[in-house]
Amino acid sequence: MDFQVVVLAGGTSKKLVPLVSKEVPKALLPVANRPVLSYTLEQLELCNLKDLIVVVEGGDAALRVGGWISGAYVDRLHVEVAAVPEDVGTAGALRAIAHHLTAKDLLVMSGDLVSDVPPGAVAAAHRRHDAVMTAMLCSPSVGGHSETGSSGGKEKTKKRHNVIGLDRTRQFLLHIATGVEVERDTRIQKSILRAVGQMEIHADLMDCHMYAFKRSVLQEILDKKDKFQSLKLDVLPYLVRSQLKSEVFLNGQSQAEENSNEKVFPENNHVMMSRILANASTPSFHEFYAMHPDGSAPARQTHKCCVYIADNSKYCARLNSIQSFSDINRDVIGEANHLSGYSFSAHNNIIHPSAELGSKTTVGPHCMLGEGSQMGDKCSVKRSVIGRHCRIGSNVKLVNSVVMNHVTIGDGCSIQGSVVCSNVQLHERVVLRDCQVGANYVVAAGSEYKGEPLARKEK
């Protein structure tokens, strides 16, 4: 397809502390005992998109991610790992690797996306429309998660949404506002409504951070707008606004009228609202590309911003918060287990042949027990993932939790709704509820914690 693929794999995201560390950057966080980045790489491999640049923030993190890729995907993918400075943002990361980008079109995607939507479908839609940008959207209800999950701590964040305007064919992106509370009014320029004739306003679509770009246009924007840091917050809105400022749409209207706003009220804070202008003869948005304002002959082609909307049956979620980390782990061994790559037992769980279970220990459905792990007597595991080479004592209860590799859990512990990172030691009778325990941490016998992150201070 002549697409160059860029995977933005992040670094040690502050949102994911204490799960991430210098030893475990975001791209290597485990989902069903596989690094989250593997889900993106395997979808690309299935679409025969095998020439990739994986961009990692920070030199140490890049070395770790590169080492894992070279071992796991040798002879399968051609991957170049590029290190960029931390906190440069997604647009800044692309600006930093601009000299590597040579193809006509780019497919840019987040390395934290866990999805069964084929990236090739987004690339094909982009080519079909000859677009300058195509964004993949999906329904958050597919994965059950909004884009801003709570951090898992005591503070609950307000739920924010994208407000997205589409043409009536749902192929063209006409308006995008991010992080909006749906209870508030959304303002749309009158010139946009006049130009498109009809627009659907959605607050029920998630931006999946998978974009196709015409490279020349993207690089021109990154060069000119050197303060742009984010693809989603800076580049996309700029492209969407500028496609509606051509002479085809303004057609001699005054700048004052162009800048006036029409207030659009979401219906019952809800999913969709159509706005139909009085002039029913106005051509649809995409028809403007094929005619002059007088309808006589093809006009100078303006750039198109398009969307690919994933089918509702598809799974799509981003690992961008502690809550989403837990949710996605549960989903991939539960309702979305086709993504895991594992064969499930008759009991609908995954227990590695080398794992050992004590007397009267039960591992329920939608659970995973990794290679070489051992459990004592009378343990109960429900809707949880346990990593490799863990040592778990007797009378231990694990519910809705993720336990990473080489963890030691003493007798009588109770762990619910928590994440326990690698090499942690929990002594006897520890009780954890909605906690995150960072790597190498030791929890004293009899301790009880609720809704707290526990971690060693990094030197």
Side-chain angles (χ1 to χ4, degrees):
M1 275 183 148
D2 189 33
F3 267 85
Q4 201 168 6
V5 180
V6 180
V7 178
L8 301 174
T12 52
S13 167
K14 293 181 178 69
K15 286 183 184 177
L16 289 161
V17 172
L19 275 57
V20 294
S21 62
K22 289 177 181 177
E23 288 74 29
V24 184
K26 179 180 179 179
L28 301 185
L29 279 176
V31 170
N33 289 340
R34 286 171 45 192
V36 63
L37 182 59
S38 69
Y39 292 85
T40 295
L41 298 185
E42 296 200 2
Q43 284 297 318
L44 289 166
E45 186 180 23
L46 286 172
C47 292
N48 206 32
L49 292 163
K50 297 183 178 181
D51 282 317
L52 323 175
I53 301 172
V54 174
V55 183
V56 183
E57 293 184 9
D60 290 345
L63 283 173
R64 291 183 183 277
V65 173
W68 169 74
I69 291 174
S70 62
Y73 290 91
V74 63
D75 299 329
R76 290 171 60 184
L77 299 173
H78 178 261
V79 182
E80 182 179 350
V81 176
V84 298
E86 294 182 29
D87 300 322
V88 292
T90 49
L94 288 176
R95 196 180 283 113
I97 63 158
H99 56 291
H100 292 283
L101 306 178
T102 55
K104 176 188 172 187
D105 292 299
L106 306 175
L107 186 66
V108 181
M109 57 192 300
S110 177
D112 66 11
L113 182 64
V114 178
S115 175
D116 52 5
V117 179
V122 180
H126 182 74
R127 279 284 167 83
R128 187 167 62 249
H129 291 297
D130 189 27
V132 300
M133 186 278 298
T134 303
M136 178 176 134
L137 306 174
C138 76
S139 168
S141 62
V142 177
H145 323 302
S146 70
E147 284 190 82
T148 52
S150 70
S151 65
K154 295 175 182 175
E155 293 292 323
K156 291 288 183 183
T157 57
K158 282 190 176 180
K159 203 169 184 180
R160 293 178 176 269
H161 301 260
N162 296 317
V163 172
I164 290 171
L166 303 177
D167 79 309
R168 62 190 178 196
T169 69
R170 298 189 185 179
Q171 298 177 86
F172 294 93
L173 182 60
L174 310 178
H175 175 78
I176 184 165
T178 57
V180 175
E181 291 176 43
V182 178
E183 289 78 5
R184 296 171 58 188
D185 301 334
T186 297
R187 293 184 177 272
I188 308 287
Q189 287 183 336
K190 281 184 178 177
S191 60
I192 298 173
L193 292 172
R194 185 172 54 249
V196 301
Q198 177 179 340
M199 189 194 300
E200 294 181 356
I201 302 294
H202 290 257
D204 64 334
L205 290 170
M206 183 176 96
D207 177 354
C208 302
H209 285 230
M210 187 190 299
Y211 313 113
F213 288 104
K214 192 167 283 186
R215 179 187 57 83
S216 58
V217 174
L218 178 63
Q219 288 200 318
E220 184 180 356
I221 292 170
L222 294 177
D223 289 344
K224 282 184 178 177
K225 305 288 183 180
D226 56 0
K227 289 189 168 57
F228 279 5
Q229 282 194 306
S230 166
L231 290 176
K232 178 178 174 176
L233 301 179
D234 298 321
V235 175
L236 259 65
Y238 176 80
L239 277 169
V240 171
R241 286 194 307 270
S242 59
Q243 75 177 330
L244 294 164
K245 287 182 179 175
S246 74
E247 69 268 30
V248 175
F249 295 111
L250 296 184
N251 194 17
Q253 299 291 336
S254 70
Q255 190 65 34
E257 192 174 355
E258 150 71 9
N259 289 333
S260 64
N261 289 330
E262 183 81 17
K263 188 183 284 188
V264 175
F265 296 93
E267 287 185 358
N268 302 323
N269 297 342
H270 232 162
V271 283
M272 182 177 72
M273 183 209 48
S274 290
R275 173 66 187 229
I276 305 174
L277 298 190
N279 183 3
S281 64
T282 305
S284 69
F285 176 75
H286 59 291
E287 290 170 326
F288 266 98
Y289 289 117
M291 63 177 69
H292 270 307
D294 64 5
S296 59
R300 180 182 69 80
Q301 191 159 34
T302 61
H303 71 253
K304 305 178 200 176
C305 296
C306 296
V307 295
Y308 175 86
I309 302 178
D311 186 85
N312 279 345
S313 64
K314 295 293 186 182
Y315 182 86
C316 192
R318 291 189 57 221
L319 198 164
N320 56 2
S321 68
I322 289 173
Q323 184 63 55
S324 66
F325 173 82
S326 298
D327 291 340
I328 292 168
N329 265 283
R330 275 198 298 276
D331 289 346
V332 170
I333 56 170
E335 64 188 52
N337 60 37
H338 62 286
L339 280 167
S340 71
Y342 299 101
S343 297
F344 282 69
S345 73
H347 301 290
N348 207 16
N349 59 22
I350 308 160
I351 299 177
H352 195 276
S354 64
E356 298 178 14
L357 303 181
S359 170
K360 297 183 180 178
T361 284
T362 59
V363 178
H366 309 313
C367 289
M368 184 172 188
L369 183 59
E371 175 186 357
S373 287
Q374 298 176 0
M375 301 191 72
D377 300 335
K378 297 181 181 177
C379 294
S380 172
V381 183
K382 297 178 180 177
R383 297 181 303 280
S384 296
V385 176
I386 299 171
R388 300 176 183 87
H389 306 293
C390 293
R391 297 291 175 266
I392 298 172
S394 298
N395 295 297
V396 171
K397 291 184 179 179
L398 267 167
V399 182
N400 283 335
S401 295
V402 178
V403 175
M404 298 187 196
N405 302 329
H406 301 283
V407 171
T408 302
I409 299 177
D411 296 345
C413 289
S414 176
I415 302 163
Q416 185 168 339
S418 297
V419 180
V420 181
C421 293
S422 295
N423 301 302
V424 163
Q425 293 182 48
L426 305 181
H427 290 173
E428 295 80 6
R429 303 179 313 286
V430 166
V431 177
L432 300 178
R433 189 181 179 91
D434 301 326
C435 292
Q436 304 86 44
V437 187
N440 304 301
Y441 196 83
V442 178
V443 182
S447 301
E448 294 190 19
Y449 294 97
K450 182 178 179 181
E452 291 188 48
L454 308 171
R456 297 171 64 177
K457 290 182 179 177
E458 292 213 358
K459 295 176 182 177

